[in-house]
Amino acid sequence: MTNCQLACSSALHNPKSKSRSHTKAPPSLQAGGTGDTGEGGVTLVHSDMSTEAIQTSGSSVEQRSELHMSSTSSSSFSSSYSIGSTRLRKVSHTSRLLEESSGVQRKISGVMESFSQVQKSFEIPAGECLPDFEDKPRPITAQEGNKAAFKVKVSGNPTPVVTWARESDKPLTEGTMSFYDDINKQYVLKIKNLTMEDADVYKCIASNNHGEAIYSISLVVTENPALDFKKKLKKRSVEKQQRKPPTEEEMLKILSGADKKDYERICAEYGFTDFRGILRKLKEMKKKEEVDMVRVLKPLEDITAKADSSVVFDTILELKDPNMKMLWFQDDELLRIHYSLRKYEVKQLGTKHMLCITNVCLADSGTYTLKVGDKVLSAKLTVIDEPLKFLTDLKPLRVTERQTAVFEVRLSKKADIPLVWKFKGKQLKRDEKFDVYVSEDGLTYTLKIKDVRPGDTGDYTISIGDLTTTAPLLIERIPIKFMSHLKNVRVKEKGKARLEAEMSSKDVHIRWLKDGRDITNNSRYIFIREGKRAELILEDCELADSGEYSIVCKQDNDSHEYVSSSYLTVEERIATVKSEMSDVQCPTGSATELCVVLNDEKVDGVWLKDGKEVMDLRGVQVIKQGAVHKLLFSSVGDEHEGKYTFRAKGVKNEAVLSIADPPVIDPTVLEMLSSQPVTLKAGETATIKITFKGKPAPKVTWYRDGMELSEDSRTRVEQNGNSSTLVLHKCVREDSGTFMLKLKSDCESASATVQLNVIDRPKPPQGKVEFLECSGKCITMKWKAPRDNGGQKVTSFVIERRMTGKKSWIKVGEVDGDTSTFCNDTVEEGKPYQYRIRAINSLGMSDPLETEQVYAGEPIEPPGLVPQPQISDVTKDSVTVMWAAPAQDGGAPVLGYLVERRKKGSSMWVSVSKELIQDTKFAVDGLVEDMEYEFRVTAVNRAGEGTPSVSSNSVLAKDPTRAPGLVRNLHVTDSHNTSISLAWCPPELGDNPTGYILEVRPDDGKEWTKCTKIPINGTSYNLGGLQEQRKYFFRIRAVNEGGIGEPIELEQGVLAMPPPEAPKFDIQGKVRNQMVVRAGCTLSIPISFTGSPSPVITWLKDGVPTRGREVITKGKNHSQFLISSCQRFDEGVYRINLSNDSGDVYFDINVCITDVPRPPKNLRLVEEVQGTVTLQWDHTPDLADHEHTHYIILKRDTSTPTWFTAAEHIFSSKYTVTGLFPGRKYYFRVIARNLIGDSSPLDSKEPFTIEKEHENFTLNLKRSPPKHHEVKPGFLLPLKDHAVHRGNDCTMSCAFLGSPKPQVSWFKEDVSISDSPRYWQSSADGVCTLTIPTCTAKDSGEYTLLVENKLGKAECKCYLVVFDEDDSRLRERLTQDSRKEKLII
């Protein structure tokens, strides 16, 4: 039952309660039911105990009934009854509870639960409802001294007031406390320290202005077993005579509220003998009880928001089933989230669940409820509305005549009252002149004035309620346009100029201007005017006629002037150059000329040099020969160089005269440079300067040994006038060579050469030093002279020496520069030496040439490294150290060995003997027990001690360890395809092992292989990398410091495979039991599974093996069934069978093959009623196969190629098309559609002509006096519910009668829409029509038509549902309803 539905169900009322006032039941309860009805109402009583219910009615008949049912079925029972009477009153009831004799005292012998609901208000406003219980309390059975708590959750609008009472009218005891749980949104009645007096029937009463709901439950209190035993015996003696053993059902109810430890005692007290059977059924009953599937961590909270804002209700829930269905309600009305056009949106972030509401309005206020399983969470949304105002006022508008003027205003919120446009006090409505419309959000109102004329000028007013705003409309004349503007004209002197323009209108006034001055009346100009064209002609143009000419146009009633301008340019007659002069280069003293040829002989010119006229220049002559102009030079000198210009009228020609002399170097300088080379020391700066002559200055380049020099940090080239200087800083030996200066100009080239010699100290002697003799007495060496002596002769060589490993060098000799050998006789035999040799010239000593290490005679070294010593014969106070002689004795016999010891972890070594040990074995005593020691050995010869050996392995001074015994209980713990896991127990004999050696052998192998490189520490091991299905044998041995124990082998081989497992499918949402595939597409069924050994796979279709069109892929853990292009006959039930030694399993997939429907046939057209056409056709063969297949009817006027939809969702083979215009011809088309797509169209072959209405005829009858019949308004044909696709138009029509003629009014949700420009309405001849253009989701709702005259009124209602294309479930329901003729789609 919903909160707003009045339901009458079972209740237990106090006989002393007062009778209620009679109330009218809402329409939802007017349907007949199966319950008993009386004059005043019906009362149904049900409980979990035997109850006598007395029903009172208008008669004196009493009916007695016993109803036995569980509490879980009470709600469904009550909802199956409804009230047939239009009046309801509360009936007093008497209830008699059966008292039972028992050893355990109870105030109530049975568990009871009842509910009743009573309506007080005659009518309940929309959005409000009666109280109701969302979470109902449960009866409680508890022991004396324990606690009890009843919890309920109520709903209703206004919010109900919740009170608690006892059926016996006794007051609540002191230990009783009632409160409201804010977290769980529950009302709680809590009773502490139960006593026998607390046992009663408790009532929870929820009431508001519209009625009340009462829920009664029982509290059964049992005695505590700790009561006095004598008292219990006394009670038993009386009860045994009266008690009757309870039934099994009653016993289950009694035990359901008791502790487990008291079950046996309670059964004994009640005399119930089948204790094991009742325990088994009690366990089964508790298994069936619902578990708490939802846990509320954060409840919903109330929200207050402004209109047009967005709000979010959020709660945190812990769900055991993540797929649990969640429903959101607003005031008990289910929110259609998917059809709200994103008004509502449900989101989830982890355990946080949210309801987002956008653009809230007053209608969104109310209580929002979330129902999840048995949990109901609620919160209120309060929307604060702002006053209505204009966000933008009307603004003055200036529009050109014949254009469209648009006024627009925006409101702060939607208004329920219509908005009115007025002009000069008259209301404007939509017609051919004016267009009034509202935006989709209902906030922006627009007025369009088409084809404005001067008469439309004035103030326009928009008003809504008390709000008004006004703005003027100003009309501008259409401006004059120049169809062709004046164009710029260019003429030569004495030529003829013509200026002309064309205007958009001939009714204009024209003035002509030149440079802003009026020339309209000037006789020098000729003016021509022909219609829209105007022309100005000027002959014999002069230079003074150049300027800007403008034509100015004006029209009546227009203050604007329209101007078009252009420029007239009068050009001089000037000459041009036919042959220009060019630049001239010549040597000093030579003759040359400059020449210019013009195209006009009469044009004179002037010659200029560097901007000055050539008049008295020496050696220059000016000559003019017709159109040829020359400037002659007899002997060119420096004064003649420059830029020459020839100027005439409109002519300017330029050329440059320059002198070119080749470069020359003085011969004496060349001779000096070649005979005297430049010599300097390294580190000095070399400067070479060479002078020359040449004009223009030649290009200077320096070369060294044929390579061009480039400037860097040491090299710099300086050029000053007629000289060039090369500067080399910090010269080095490599700078020596031949340097050349090269001069190049456009005429010739010249060069000069100089030799540079840089001297420095010599380079080191060459190559590797050769040792001629290396004996114990002397070392003789030989070397080669340096490659470069630094430009000076080497005078001597210095020889130095040092001992290997030393840093300081000692001079041992010096020889002259011509000698390259040296003998050093001051050496010690066997010692290593190193020598270095330096060369010396007049500038210094060279870098040294170092030799390798060389020995004086045969070398002697300390002995080599002794191998790591070994330890044996370990006891608690001594060990034996053994070692081997070193591989190298250093060139001398080993004199003995030095043995040392240290404690492990210490860095101090202690010798174990004062003298050298001659043997390679030594017994060391005096050790401390349980102390770890390390030993090392060093060999000694006459060269000294060698390098100490590597430390021996640490050894613990204690008696030797025993080897471990046999490993026990080697067994296999697990196995897989590539791995086997084993475990074992340590041996009982011998000392504790430090590890285990596990060995493996395949069944076809003979050799054992260790599983690990080092012993295993634990007592288990997983061996991987095995071959599947192969048998392996294992053995294991324990190991410690005392040795390796004997092996123990596993008795039988082990197969590398998992334990046997029955086949099992691993679907995980990849494949569903139902598949829909379009014909021609690929059918793919992938299946994953597990099983050991791998199961045998079999595919069946409709119980038989597949036919071979498919491709089946099989693997160890997967299989795929594939048909690349499926057809309709591939439809059916596909089954995959899996079978192995451990079991069989199968999985069925129902495959449905769909395609676009085949077209209907045999279209027939009949005009049954004038202005309509009835279409009939033969059904498509696919109509019966798919329930979603329907027809779409389209029509097309022969005057247009566009098809328009006449009807959708047609399931019959006949349809009548209306709304056709008489006298026109139409084509019709029928298309079959299903979920896949549309069929090919079925078109009418010939156009169908709609006949015109017949001509009127006149019938003369005898006039009779008129009779006036007054009729109360009534409907002949009522409105019908409509369902419209969003964006389409909706037309509602009905027929009515009434005299005098009734006044018609339309309402939407009780708001008048008669004056709203959003709707088109008409009423004529008793037929009323309302058209809603371009329907949106906001147009959904209830529409009411009210017709009224002086005799009365009548109203008719219908519902409009606007749906989207993707509302598949809604469309399916609407389609089913349309078949039952409930809706017009």
Side-chain angles (χ1 to χ4, degrees):
M1 283 186 298
T2 63
N3 296 341
C4 297
Q5 180 183 8
L6 177 60
C8 181
S9 61
S10 60
L12 290 177
H13 298 280
N14 191 345
K16 300 179 182 180
S17 61
K18 297 180 180 180
S19 60
R20 306 285 179 171
S21 59
H22 289 75
T23 59
K24 181 180 179 180
S28 61
L29 298 179
Q30 301 303 319
T34 58
D36 295 334
T37 62
E39 238 179 17
V42 171
T43 300
L44 301 177
V45 180
H46 67 90
S47 67
D48 293 324
M49 57 177 285
S50 298
T51 307
E52 289 185 6
I54 301 176
Q55 176 181 2
T56 62
S57 63
S59 64
S60 60
V61 179
E62 293 185 2
Q63 239 177 353
R64 184 183 185 91
S65 64
E66 289 187 357
L67 303 175
H68 301 274
M69 59 182 61
S70 65
S71 61
T72 57
S73 63
S74 62
S75 60
S76 63
F77 176 82
S78 61
S79 64
S80 65
Y81 287 82
S82 59
I83 298 176
S85 175
T86 58
R87 306 188 60 80
L88 178 71
R89 63 185 178 89
K90 181 177 178 182
V91 183
S92 299
H93 303 268
T94 59
S95 173
R96 182 165 57 85
L97 304 177
L98 301 178
E99 299 290 340
E100 296 185 2
S101 299
S102 172
V104 179
Q105 292 296 320
R106 298 166 180 258
K107 290 294 289 182
I108 297 179
S109 62
V111 180
M112 196 204 74
E113 181 179 4
S114 65
F115 169 74
S116 65
Q117 191 176 44
V118 179
Q119 178 177 332
K120 300 177 182 177
S121 302
F122 183 75
E123 291 185 357
I124 299 178
E128 299 186 2
C129 59
L130 292 172
D132 195 8
F133 290 91
E134 294 185 0
D135 288 350
K136 301 176 178 59
R138 294 288 181 264
I140 298 177
T141 300
Q143 279 190 345
E144 186 179 5
N146 291 344
K147 298 178 183 179
F150 296 107
K151 299 179 181 180
V152 299
K153 181 179 289 187
V154 300
S155 61
N157 191 13
T159 303
V161 177
V162 177
T163 58
W164 297 87
R166 298 175 65 170
E167 184 71 26
S168 62
D169 283 345
K170 294 181 180 180
L172 299 176
T173 60
E174 295 181 357
T176 304
M177 178 177 59
S178 62
F179 58 92
Y180 179 69
D181 186 355
D182 292 330
I183 296 178
N184 297 319
K185 307 291 184 183
Q186 291 178 333
Y187 293 90
V188 181
L189 178 66
K190 195 170 185 179
I191 307 174
K192 299 181 179 179
N193 297 324
L194 290 172
T195 64
M196 300 301 295
E197 298 299 324
D198 290 323
D200 203 344
V201 174
Y202 286 80
K203 297 188 296 182
C204 180
I205 306 170
S207 61
N208 63 9
N209 298 335
H210 304 305
E212 67 180 19
I214 303 174
Y215 208 96
S216 301
I217 60 281
S218 62
L219 172 61
V220 178
V221 181
T222 62
E223 270 191 349
N224 196 314
L227 291 175
D228 184 68
F229 184 74
K230 293 183 179 180
K231 182 179 178 181
K232 292 169 64 178
L233 288 177
K234 188 180 294 184
K235 289 182 180 180
R236 281 183 182 176
S237 62
V238 178
E239 291 173 355
K240 283 182 179 179
Q241 299 175 2
Q242 301 176 355
R243 185 175 59 188
K244 179 180 179 181
T247 64
E248 185 179 86
E249 183 178 356
E250 291 175 341
M251 199 67 212
L252 286 173
K253 297 297 181 181
I254 294 172
L255 293 179
S256 63
D259 293 336
K260 291 183 179 179
K261 61 183 181 181
D262 299 329
Y263 285 170
E264 186 173 0
R265 178 182 55 77
I266 294 174
C267 288
E269 291 173 354
Y270 279 86
F272 195 87
T273 58
D274 189 8
F275 180 66
R276 293 181 180 272
I278 198 66
L279 284 182
R280 182 171 61 254
K281 292 194 175 182
L282 184 63
K283 185 180 294 185
E284 293 175 357
M285 184 182 72
K286 288 189 175 182
K287 284 183 180 179
K288 296 178 181 179
E289 292 180 355
E290 293 186 359
V291 298
D292 189 11
M293 299 296 290
V294 182
R295 183 182 176 192
V296 180
L297 304 181
K298 177 182 178 297
L300 296 176
E301 298 178 354
D302 296 340
I303 298 176
T304 301
K306 292 183 179 181
D308 294 329
S309 64
S310 298
V311 298
V312 178
F313 285 101
D314 63 296
T315 179
I316 299 178
L317 303 175
E318 183 176 314
L319 305 178
K320 289 190 177 181
D321 182 10
N323 298 321
M324 183 174 293
K325 189 174 183 181
M326 308 178 72
L327 300 176
W328 288 89
F329 296 82
Q330 179 189 4
D331 295 332
D332 298 329
E333 182 179 351
L334 179 64
L335 295 180
R336 296 165 59 204
I337 306 296
H338 298 290
Y339 312 119
S340 63
L341 299 179
R342 303 189 69 83
K343 170 73 175 180
Y344 304 100
E345 188 175 1
V346 176
K347 297 182 180 179
Q348 179 181 354
L349 294 175
T351 59
K352 187 174 183 180
H353 300 265
M354 296 173 286
L355 172 65
C356 304
I357 310 174
T358 58
N359 299 328
V360 297
C361 58
L362 289 177
D364 295 325
S365 298
T367 301
Y368 286 80
T369 304
L370 171 61
K371 293 187 178 181
V372 187
D374 59 348
K375 297 291 183 180
V376 180
L377 309 177
S378 299
K380 287 186 177 180
L381 171 62
T382 304
V383 180
I384 303 174
D385 196 11
E386 296 180 354
L388 179 66
K389 61 180 180 180
F390 290 111
L391 296 181
T392 57
D393 291 332
L394 288 181
K395 296 180 180 180
L397 193 61
R398 184 182 296 273
V399 182
T400 305
E401 67 175 321
R402 305 301 298 272
Q403 300 297 317
T404 299
V406 179
F407 284 102
E408 188 175 273
V409 67
R410 186 169 178 84
L411 300 179
S412 61
K413 64 176 185 177
K414 294 181 181 179
D416 296 329
I417 56 179
L419 187 143
V420 179
W421 291 90
K422 291 184 179 180
F423 174 61
K424 295 181 179 180
K426 183 179 178 182
Q427 182 177 350
L428 301 180
K429 294 187 177 180
R430 180 182 295 177
D431 55 14
E432 295 180 357
K433 180 69 175 180
F434 301 96
D435 191 3
V436 180
Y437 58 91
V438 186
S439 63
E440 287 189 5
D441 58 5
L443 299 178
T444 302
Y445 289 76
T446 305
L447 170 65
K448 283 188 178 181
I449 309 169
K450 306 172 186 176
D451 191 20
V452 296
R453 298 298 177 96
D456 297 326
T457 304
D459 292 335
Y460 287 79
T461 303
I462 182 173
S463 59
I464 179 169
D466 297 331
L467 295 177
T468 302
T469 180
T470 305
L473 173 63
L474 304 177
I475 308 300
E476 293 182 355
R477 292 292 306 274
I478 297 177
I480 299 173
K481 294 183 180 180
F482 287 94
M483 308 307 293
S484 70
H485 286 268
L486 295 180
K487 297 181 181 179
N488 295 334
V489 178
R490 182 183 297 273
V491 297
K492 291 188 177 182
E493 287 181 292
K494 303 302 179 181
K496 182 178 180 181
R498 184 188 300 271
L499 300 175
E500 56 183 2
E502 183 178 356
M503 288 69 69
S504 59
S505 175
K506 63 181 180 179
D507 299 327
V508 296
H509 307 288
I510 294 176
R511 289 188 301 121
W512 287 91
L513 303 178
K514 176 184 180 295
D515 296 331
R517 297 191 302 274
D518 195 341
I519 59 172
T520 306
N521 298 321
N522 194 330
S523 58
R524 175 165 171 71
Y525 303 92
I526 302 174
F527 302 97
I528 300 176
R529 176 75 182 275
E530 293 179 0
K532 298 180 181 180
R533 298 183 73 258
E535 188 175 356
L536 181 147
I537 299 175
L538 178 61
E539 297 183 353
D540 297 328
C541 292
E542 300 176 356
L543 294 178
D545 293 328
S546 298
E548 182 183 28
Y549 288 78
S550 303
I551 181 172
V552 181
C553 301
K554 294 187 65 176
Q555 61 181 350
D556 298 333
N557 298 327
D558 189 357
S559 60
H560 288 83
E561 292 185 348
Y562 304 91
V563 182
S564 178
S565 302
S566 67
Y567 284 90
L568 172 62
T569 304
V570 181
E571 299 177 343
E572 290 182 280
R573 292 185 177 273
I574 57 178
T576 59
V577 178
K578 293 181 63 178
S579 176
E580 297 181 344
M581 58 181 174
S582 57
D583 295 340
V584 177
Q585 276 189 347
C586 59
T588 304
S590 61
T592 186
E593 67 177 20
L594 298 175
C595 178
V596 178
V597 180
L598 305 179
N599 67 339
D600 193 345
E601 296 181 355
K602 297 180 179 181
V603 177
D604 294 330
V606 62
W607 289 90
L608 303 175
K609 177 181 180 296
D610 298 330
K612 296 182 180 180
E613 186 177 355
V614 177
M615 297 181 65
D616 297 330
L617 189 59
R618 182 180 59 84
V620 179
Q621 183 180 3
V622 178
I623 298 177
K624 178 179 181 299
Q625 298 175 348
V628 180
H629 299 262
K630 292 184 179 181
L631 192 62
L632 302 179
F633 299 87
S634 58
S635 178
V636 177
D638 292 340
E639 68 275 11
H640 296 139
E641 281 189 311
K643 182 178 180 181
Y644 290 86
T645 305
F646 177 77
R647 287 183 178 176
K649 195 171 185 180
V651 174
K652 181 180 180 182
N653 194 226
E654 296 178 344
V656 176
L657 175 62
S658 59
I659 298 176
D661 293 332
V664 177
I665 301 176
D666 191 353
T668 57
V669 175
L670 294 175
E671 183 179 355
M672 181 184 65
L673 291 175
S674 61
S675 61
Q676 297 179 4
V678 179
T679 302
L680 70 161
K681 295 181 180 180
E684 296 180 348
T685 300
T687 302
I688 305 173
K689 182 178 181 181
I690 301 176
T691 59
F692 54 84
K693 293 181 180 181
K695 192 174 184 181
K699 179 181 178 182
V700 177
T701 307
W702 284 89
Y703 295 87
R704 183 181 67 189
D705 296 332
M707 300 295 292
E708 182 178 353
L709 282 176
S710 59
E711 294 192 43
D712 54 23
S713 59
R714 292 196 312 110
T715 307
R716 190 175 76 256
V717 176
E718 299 175 354
Q719 187 167 350
N720 187 10
N722 294 332
S723 66
S724 179
T725 304
L726 174 64
V727 180
L728 298 176
H729 295 280
K730 296 181 182 180
C731 291
V732 295
R733 175 67 177 162
E734 286 75 11
D735 291 333
S736 300
T738 301
F739 288 81
M740 181 179 68
L741 171 66
K742 189 171 183 179
L743 306 174
K744 185 176 182 181
S745 68
D746 295 339
C747 302
E748 279 184 54
S749 61
S751 64
T753 303
V754 62
Q755 188 71 27
L756 177 63
N757 185 21
V758 180
I759 58 176
D760 196 0
R761 60 193 183 93
K763 298 294 182 183
Q766 292 187 67
K768 184 178 181 181
V769 176
E770 180 182 359
F771 289 96
L772 304 178
E773 182 181 356
C774 295
S775 63
K777 296 181 178 180
C778 69
I779 296 176
T780 303
M781 63 197 74
K782 182 180 180 181
W783 61 89
K784 295 181 181 179
R787 290 183 181 275
D788 183 8
N789 59 6
Q792 300 292 318
K793 182 179 178 182
V794 175
T795 58
S796 63
F797 294 96
V798 175
I799 297 92
E800 296 174 308
R801 184 189 75 184
R802 71 177 177 184
M803 295 283 291
T804 299
K806 304 294 184 179
K807 293 184 178 180
S808 60
W809 293 87
I810 302 172
K811 182 178 178 181
V812 295
E814 183 176 355
V815 296
D816 58 21
D818 297 331
T819 305
S820 59
T821 59
F822 177 75
C823 178
N824 182 18
D825 54 1
T826 58
V827 296
E828 296 182 20
E829 184 180 2
K831 295 292 184 180
Y833 296 96
Q834 188 178 6
Y835 293 88
R836 68 180 184 182
I837 306 169
R838 296 176 184 266
I840 301 175
N841 67 2
S842 59
L843 295 181
M845 185 181 297
S846 71
D847 293 332
L849 170 65
E850 294 186 3
T851 68
E852 297 177 349
Q853 176 179 291
V854 61
Y855 286 90
E858 293 297 329
I860 299 175
E861 297 179 351
L865 185 69
V866 176
Q868 182 182 21
Q870 302 297 321
I871 309 300
S872 63
D873 301 333
V874 180
T875 66
K876 62 182 179 180
D877 57 358
S878 66
V879 297
T880 300
V881 182
M882 297 181 295
W883 63 90
Q888 303 292 335
D889 59 3
V894 176
L895 302 178
Y897 298 95
L898 177 64
V899 179
E900 298 172 296
R901 77 179 183 191
R902 71 174 178 184
K903 296 179 181 178
K904 186 177 181 181
S906 174
S907 60
M908 183 177 68
W909 291 92
V910 178
S911 178
V912 299
S913 175
K914 295 181 179 179
E915 298 179 356
L916 294 177
I917 299 172
Q918 302 299 322
D919 197 0
T920 58
K921 180 178 180 182
F922 187 75
V924 181
D925 55 6
L927 304 180
V928 179
E929 187 177 3
D930 291 333
M931 182 70 71
E932 284 192 84
Y933 292 93
E934 294 177 344
F935 297 88
R936 72 178 184 182
V937 180
T938 306
V940 182
N941 65 3
R942 62 187 178 90
E945 296 179 2
T947 303
S949 69
V950 178
S951 301
S952 68
N953 295 329
S954 61
V955 61
L956 185 64
K958 68 174 184 178
D959 291 334
T961 304
R962 294 179 301 163
L966 289 175
V967 177
R968 299 179 296 113
N969 191 21
L970 176 62
H971 61 282
V972 177
T973 60
D974 195 7
S975 64
H976 295 280
N977 290 331
T978 59
S979 64
I980 297 176
S981 299
L982 299 101
W984 57 86
C985 296
E988 293 180 346
L989 302 177
D991 288 343
N992 293 332
T994 59
Y996 300 91
I997 300 175
L998 179 65
E999 296 175 301
V1000 62
R1001 176 178 63 83
D1003 58 348
D1004 55 352
K1006 297 181 179 180
E1007 296 184 358
W1008 292 92
T1009 305
K1010 290 184 179 181
C1011 297
T1012 59
K1013 294 183 179 179
I1014 60 176
I1016 301 170
N1017 291 327
T1019 58
S1020 62
Y1021 185 73
N1022 180 27
L1023 178 60
L1026 303 180
Q1027 186 175 347
E1028 186 177 356
Q1029 298 289 336
R1030 191 173 184 182
K1031 183 180 289 187
Y1032 292 90
F1033 294 89
F1034 295 90
R1035 71 178 185 182
I1036 190 169
R1037 292 182 289 178
V1039 63
N1040 62 11
E1041 295 178 357
I1044 301 175
E1046 294 297 324
I1048 181 174
E1049 186 174 348
L1050 200 64
E1051 294 180 359
Q1052 296 179 351
V1054 183
L1055 288 175
M1057 60 175 290
E1061 179 186 2
K1064 183 180 179 181
F1065 288 100
D1066 184 14
I1067 303 300
Q1068 297 182 354
K1070 297 179 182 178
V1071 179
R1072 294 174 293 181
N1073 295 88
Q1074 188 77 20
M1075 295 183 65
V1076 179
V1077 183
R1078 184 170 180 175
C1081 297
T1082 300
L1083 170 62
S1084 176
I1085 308 176
I1087 299 293
S1088 299
F1089 51 84
T1090 59
S1092 178
S1094 297
V1096 178
I1097 304 167
T1098 306
W1099 284 90
L1100 303 174
K1101 177 181 181 293
D1102 296 330
V1104 298
T1106 53
R1107 295 179 296 179
R1109 293 185 63 250
E1110 70 285 346
V1111 177
I1112 298 177
T1113 304
K1114 297 181 181 180
K1116 294 181 180 179
N1117 297 315
H1118 70 276
S1119 179
Q1120 175 175 287
F1121 185 91
L1122 177 68
I1123 299 178
S1124 58
S1125 178
C1126 58
Q1127 304 299 327
R1128 287 183 182 269
F1129 55 77
D1130 291 320
E1131 188 172 88
V1133 177
Y1134 289 81
R1135 170 174 293 185
I1136 177 173
N1137 285 326
L1138 303 178
S1139 175
N1140 65 5
D1141 297 338
S1142 300
D1144 300 332
V1145 69
Y1146 67 87
F1147 184 77
D1148 290 343
I1149 305 97
N1150 189 5
V1151 178
C1152 179
I1153 309 298
T1154 62
D1155 200 354
V1156 296
R1158 284 166 283 187
K1161 299 179 180 179
N1162 194 16
L1163 178 61
R1164 303 175 296 281
L1165 308 178
V1166 179
E1167 184 176 10
E1168 296 178 345
V1169 180
Q1170 186 172 1
T1172 66
V1173 175
T1174 300
L1175 282 68
Q1176 292 183 338
W1177 60 90
D1178 295 340
H1179 277 303
T1180 174
D1182 301 320
L1183 183 63
D1185 297 337
H1186 301 282
E1187 60 179 356
H1188 298 288
T1189 304
H1190 58 276
Y1191 298 102
I1192 299 174
I1193 312 301
L1194 297 97
K1195 64 181 180 179
R1196 177 174 68 84
D1197 194 335
T1198 54
S1199 61
T1200 176
T1202 305
W1203 289 92
F1204 295 93
T1205 301
E1208 294 182 303
H1209 299 285
I1210 305 300
F1211 291 87
S1212 64
S1213 61
K1214 181 179 180 181
Y1215 183 77
T1216 300
V1217 180
T1218 61
L1220 305 177
F1221 294 98
R1224 295 192 179 181
K1225 297 181 179 181
Y1226 291 90
Y1227 284 99
F1228 295 93
R1229 170 177 288 179
V1230 181
I1231 297 176
R1233 173 179 292 177
N1234 61 11
L1235 297 178
I1236 301 301
D1238 296 345
S1239 70
S1240 301
L1242 173 62
D1243 294 345
S1244 57
K1245 298 180 180 179
E1246 299 294 336
F1248 192 89
T1249 304
I1250 305 301
E1251 298 295 338
K1252 294 185 178 180
E1253 297 181 358
H1254 299 291
E1255 295 183 357
N1256 297 329
F1257 63 93
T1258 304
L1259 179 62
N1260 296 322
L1261 298 176
K1262 183 179 180 179
R1263 297 185 61 184
S1264 60
K1267 296 181 181 180
H1268 299 283
H1269 296 282
E1270 294 185 347
V1271 180
K1272 183 180 179 180
F1275 288 95
L1276 299 176
L1277 182 63
L1279 295 172
K1280 291 186 178 181
D1281 294 342
H1282 288 70
V1284 181
H1285 184 276
R1286 184 165 65 92
N1288 291 350
D1289 297 344
C1290 177
T1291 301
M1292 306 175 184
S1293 299
C1294 69
F1296 62 91
L1297 56 81
S1299 179
K1301 182 178 180 181
Q1303 181 70 28
V1304 177
S1305 301
W1306 284 92
F1307 297 88
K1308 178 181 183 293
E1309 307 289 355
D1310 297 331
V1311 177
S1312 176
I1313 59 174
S1314 298
D1315 298 329
S1316 175
R1318 172 79 178 92
Y1319 307 94
W1320 302 342
Q1321 50 187 315
S1322 64
S1323 177
D1325 300 330
V1327 178
C1328 188
T1329 302
L1330 176 69
T1331 301
I1332 307 172
T1334 316
C1335 292
T1336 64
K1338 299 177 182 178
D1339 293 319
S1340 297
E1342 182 184 62
Y1343 288 81
T1344 304
L1345 173 63
L1346 177 65
V1347 293
E1348 183 178 10
N1349 63 10
K1350 65 181 182 179
L1351 299 180
K1353 60 182 179 181
E1355 69 176 23
C1356 184
K1357 296 183 179 181
C1358 71
Y1359 285 88
L1360 170 62
V1361 178
V1362 181
F1363 60 91
D1364 284 332
E1365 186 68 31
D1366 54 355
D1367 295 348
S1368 57
R1369 285 186 290 178
L1370 177 61
R1371 289 181 59 190
E1372 181 178 354
R1373 182 172 63 82
L1374 294 176
T1375 302
Q1376 295 174 355
D1377 293 343
S1378 66
R1379 293 176 180 175
K1380 302 174 183 178
E1381 298 183 354
K1382 291 183 179 179
L1383 292 175
I1384 298 176
I1385 301 181

